[in-house]
Amino acid sequence: MLEEEKKFIAEYDASKYDRPSVTADIVIFTLDEEDDLNILLIKRNGFPYKDHWAIPGGFLEAGKESVEDAAKRELFEETGIKDVFLKQLYTFSDPGRDPRTHVISVAYTALVPKSQLTIRAGDDAGDAKLFKIKYDINGIRFVADGLSINETQLAFDHAKMIRMAITRIRGRIDYEMDAFSLLKDKSSFTIYELKRIYESIKNTKLDTANFRKAFLRNYVDTGVVEALNEKREEKGKRPTSLYAFIEKERNVL
Amino acid sequence: MLEEEKKFIAEYDASKYDRPSVTADIVIFTLDEEDDLNILLIKRNGFPYKDHWAIPGGFLEAGKESVEDAAKRELFEETGIKDVFLKQLYTFSDPGRDPRTHVISVAYTALVPKSQLTIRAGDDAGDAKLFKIKYDINGIRFVADGLSINETQLAFDHAKMIRMAITRIRGRIDYEMDAFSLLKDKSSFTIYELKRIYESIKNTKLDTANFRKAFLRNYVDTGVVEALNEKREEKGKRPTSLYAFIEKERNVL
DNA sequence: TCAAAAGTGTTTCCCATACACCCATGC
DNA sequence: GCATGGGTGTATGGGAAACACTTTTGA
């Protein structure tokens, strides 16, 4: 590096430009016992939007971490989860979206099997809960034991983030491997477990025969999934063939 | 709003959290006279990466504008273009990606017909040029009259941004309406002009008959494109039917 | 009459969809 | 037996790909 350049950088005064605050926010999807799509919301402890429900997230520690690392850190603090599928969704940056100051939020999507989730209310959250996602004419509703929240009641522009995350995941599921992230056990699952994940995300019923054929063609024949020569037995049912997902490097796009 | 909340916001001290700088960077694609895909690069006037080529961009004026508005402002300053198709690509936030300080860059993609581009070197740029995008075994090269730049020579992580932008646009072109943005005249174009755009972006040759059928089915039959009952005559060629793109609200996803 | 580009028709194959039907298990 | 869910076979239709062919123009 040139001397001149070293000098420039040493004397660089970042404060001459106004800087925004930056947060990482995470839309965490999971499936509940009934195979319905759920989302994790936390109840805000402080202002603004005190006592409103929101998606988890927190401020970037500038100079120390990337926003994705901040998201991972927050995710771990909020849910105890590590090594999770985290996908950048969109960056929200309207100057007025947070009443305190200009806050830019980079939203991420995480797909997590419920068995791996440890939900706990952190410092900033009075409560943390999984909510079923229900669709009606007025938009999306979030439902958990007794509680029913309309999307307009969420903090900040979090409803927009969630809507975007649902749209995105639905669009991606057919040609990406996102669905596998929601399996309880990626290295031993049945076609029908995977099918139920697809159905929950797309909010439709799928044909068994056709799903099976697509599964074999797209995943097994291409080597993404390996057929284990084992069966899982459950009472009252015919034993089911098991498959294993071969983990690959994940693309950030 | 509660009194308590008002007080909280009034007394909120944003400076207690370290904040990063934020920039908007723009990958501007266009087609040249030979229908090759081009990208706009500027030569940096100041440190860091002085005299290196980079994609245009600039700092967000925090509190005054969204990052997208900053991108539009920079785009106008650099190219004289307004009302352009701008798509958020990805947010880059590694703490070390800029030697000055932690700089988070939100990258955007713009597709602009060359006829609408007014290229001029701005305050921060010693030079601004359109470069042909060439692919070889070593990656991408950028070529303009005499100049040939390897992707590793670009400033910051801009090579990564460009590669991502190309991948994204290729993936989107078949099911989005991005290609229309590159037409000289969206309200009067031929099938073959559109076909050449597809070919440049995908870097392949397409079959005339099949492209025509897909065009009629996907765009004309769905009302996205209207068949004008006019023909454009050019010497030496059979007259070509003209079509008009019906502009719709654009989705940010 | 020839080159160049516009435009048409046909055939083949793959795949999505629909749906009827058979299989293995526990009770 | 029958309910439950696992698993198979087949018929249909539409679209993608390949390609041979015709049309209109200017030179």
Side-chain angles (χ1 to χ4, degrees), chain B residues 229-240:
Chain B
N229 289 318
E230 301 168 45
K231 304 229 172 210
R232 177 187 300 162
E233 313 216 350
E234 262 180 281
K235 43 194 165 164
K237 293 180 203 170
R238 182 174 168 179
T240 324

Side-chain angles (χ1 to χ4, degrees), chain B residues 27-90:
Chain B
V27 182
I28 303 166
F29 289 114
T30 193
L31 294 190
D32 60 21
E33 290 69 20
E34 289 141 329
D35 285 313
D36 289 326
L37 194 61
N38 280 42
I39 188 176
L40 181 69
L41 297 177
I42 58 151
K43 193 169 186 175
R44 288 180 57 83
N45 241 345
F47 294 115
Y49 291 100
K50 182 164 163 27
D51 297 328
H52 287 243
W53 291 88
I55 61 173
F59 283 97
L60 170 77
E61 295 179 8
K64 292 183 185 155
E65 58 184 359
S66 66
V67 185
E68 183 165 334
D69 286 341
K72 283 182 183 155
R73 181 173 50 70
E74 293 288 341
L75 192 62
F76 179 70
E77 288 170 12
E78 298 278 358
T79 67
I81 275 217
K82 279 189 165 178
D83 298 322
V84 74
F85 171 86
L86 251 190
K87 193 116 199 127
Q88 191 179 303
L89 176 66
Y90 197 76

Side-chain angles (χ1 to χ4, degrees), chain A residues 9-244:
Chain A
I9 288 167
E11 290 171 359
Y12 182 81
D13 179 13
S15 67
K16 72 182 162 187
Y17 298 101
D18 281 338
R19 299 165 153 210
S21 293
V22 172
T23 72
D25 292 341
I26 311 128
V27 182
I28 303 166
F29 289 114
T30 194
L31 294 191
D32 60 22
E33 289 70 20
E34 289 141 330
D35 285 313
D36 288 326
L37 193 62
N38 280 41
I39 189 177
L40 180 69
L41 296 178
I42 58 149
K43 194 169 185 173
R44 289 180 58 82
N45 241 345
F47 295 114
Y49 291 100
K50 183 164 163 27
D51 296 329
H52 286 244
W53 291 87
I55 61 173
F59 283 97
L60 170 79
E61 295 180 7
K64 293 182 188 155
E65 58 184 359
S66 66
V67 185
E68 183 165 333
D69 286 341
K72 283 181 183 155
R73 181 173 49 72
E74 293 289 341
L75 192 61
F76 179 70
E77 289 170 11
E78 299 279 356
T79 67
I81 274 216
K82 278 189 164 177
D83 298 320
V84 73
F85 171 85
L86 250 189
K87 191 117 198 127
Q88 191 179 305
L89 177 66
Y90 197 75
T91 299
F92 298 83
S93 66
D94 272 6
R97 55 181 293 284
D98 189 308
R100 291 168 289 189
T101 178
H102 193 171
V103 176
I104 291 176
S105 292
V106 185
Y108 291 82
T109 303
L111 298 170
V112 183
K114 192 174 175 186
S115 55
Q116 282 171 36
L117 268 174
T118 322
I119 295 157
R120 56 177 179 228
D123 298 345
D124 315 322
D127 203 355
K129 260 193 172 58
L130 285 175
F131 288 78
K132 263 190 212 291
I133 298 176
K134 305 253 190 184
Y135 309 93
D136 64 21
I137 356 99
N138 304 314
I140 305 173
R141 264 173 39 249
F142 304 96
V143 180
D145 39 67
L147 266 170
S148 177
I149 298 167
N150 188 285
E151 60 172 307
T152 58
Q153 298 169 264
L154 294 184
F156 306 105
D157 45 9
H158 287 188
K160 197 172 167 184
M161 291 182 184
I162 294 168
R163 260 186 280 119
M164 221 176 199
I166 294 171
T167 306
R168 183 77 66 91
I169 192 185
R170 279 196 189 154
R172 286 172 46 88
I173 193 169
D174 283 321
Y175 61 94
E176 293 290 330
M177 276 133 220
D178 297 0
F180 294 101
S181 306
L182 286 168
L183 290 166
K184 255 187 283 298
D185 183 356
K186 279 196 279 263
S187 59
S188 177
F189 63 92
T190 72
I191 293 190
Y192 303 93
E193 286 173 342
L194 192 69
K195 175 167 170 276
R196 281 193 289 274
I197 293 173
Y198 273 75
E199 290 175 333
S200 300
I201 290 175
K202 305 180 93 162
N203 201 33
T204 45
K205 282 280 157 201
L206 297 173
D207 183 272
T208 323
N210 298 329
F211 186 83
R212 181 179 204 79
K213 274 179 284 188
F215 174 79
L216 293 172
R217 193 174 1 90
N218 298 331
Y219 299 128
V220 181
D221 293 352
T222 59
V224 172
V225 162
E226 187 190 1
L228 305 171
N229 289 318
E230 301 167 44
K231 304 229 173 212
R232 176 185 301 162
E233 311 217 350
E234 262 179 281
K235 43 193 166 167
K237 291 178 203 170
R238 183 174 167 178
T240 323
S241 300
L242 292 171
Y243 295 86

Side-chain angles (χ1 to χ4, degrees), chain B residues 157-176:
Chain B
D157 45 8
H158 288 188
K160 196 171 168 185
M161 290 182 185
I162 294 168
R163 261 187 279 118
M164 219 177 201
I166 294 171
T167 306
R168 184 77 65 91
I169 191 183
R170 277 195 192 154
R172 286 173 44 89
I173 193 168
D174 283 322
Y175 61 94
E176 292 290 330

